[in-house]
Structure formats: C-alpha cells, structure tokens
Amino acid sequence: QVTLVESGGGSVQTGGSLRLSCAAPGNIVSTSCMGWFRQAPGKEREGVAVHLVGGTVYADSVKGRFTISRDNAKNTLNLQMSGLKPEDTAMYYCAARLGWCASRPDWFDVRNFPYWGQGTQVTVSS
C-alpha cells in the first residue's frame, strides 16, 4: 500500500500563487509515475499534470501557469501554481502508479493510477 499525503492548499485571490506538495514513502517519487489531478464540485476528476520519466505533461488549461516537479531527496512531488483563476478552484489530488506511466493519450486517465492521496483544497476568489 502506498500512502500519499498532500499539503499546501488554501485560499487565494485571482492571480495568486500556491505550491502543493505530496509526500510519498520510500523511493516512490523517483521510481513511479506520479501526477496531480483535481476535482471541482459536480465535475469529474481531471488530470492537471503528470511527471513522466522523460518529461512532464500538462492539461491545456494550466499550461504556462503550473509546474510539476519531483524532489527525490525529500520524496515529494510538487505543483507550483501561479496565475490562479477562479476556475482552478477544486480539490487537488496526488496520484501514483508504480513503474512506467501509461502511454499517450492515457496520461491523464484516472484508471491508470491506483494510489491516491486524500486531497487538498484550493480556492481562488475573484
């Protein structure tokens, strides 16, 4: 069992920034496919960013504003969010899949990630 713990959520105004972190056990961060997802009330969970072995991929809605990164020394997956908009308001989840990421176009398919954190709330006010 892999336990993921998110932190860093909060409330900001439009244009603000937040940094989310996901703590994972052992060497999960350096050896697994990991990503950030979000779910707004009444909507399906959607992919935000995934850290592949050879790079990173982002949802079109966050490109240029969000940056996903790994800190292998601290066993954390991070999501730096800037230029936040009210439509970014959601519960943000960290997810992991042991081994390789799924192939394109399934990078953001939630079914490919068996391990999930409890989520951290991000609220952006206008």
Side-chain angles (χ1 to χ4, degrees):
Q1 185 70 18
V2 175
T3 300
L4 306 173
V5 180
E6 302 97 335
S7 61
S11 297
V12 296
Q13 293 187 331
T14 297
S17 299
L18 283 173
R19 182 178 177 85
L20 306 184
S21 290
C22 172
N27 63 347
I28 293 296
V29 169
S30 61
T31 61
S32 301
C33 176
M34 297 192 72
W36 286 97
F37 293 74
R38 66 186 181 187
Q39 188 168 19
K43 295 187 176 181
E44 293 187 352
R45 192 168 297 189
E46 63 176 4
V48 174
V50 172
H51 205 301
L52 310 174
V53 171
T56 55
V57 292
Y58 298 91
D60 288 343
S61 59
V62 306
K63 280 182 182 177
R65 300 187 298 121
F66 291 11
T67 302
I68 188 173
S69 63
R70 301 179 194 252
D71 187 330
N72 294 337
K74 295 182 179 179
N75 294 322
T76 59
L77 180 76
N78 304 305
L79 185 69
Q80 180 67 47
M81 307 184 294
S82 60
L84 284 162
K85 306 175 181 179
E87 51 263 44
D88 294 319
T89 294
M91 185 71 78
Y92 282 70
Y93 298 91
C94 173
R97 165 191 171 96
L98 300 182
W100 298 96
C101 290
S103 300
R104 181 177 182 176
D106 298 328
W107 290 326
F108 293 135
D109 191 331
V110 298
R111 295 170 296 181
N112 291 321
F113 291 86
Y115 304 108
W116 294 83
Q118 82 289 351
T120 186
Q121 179 67 38
V122 172
T123 303
V124 185
S125 58
S126 58

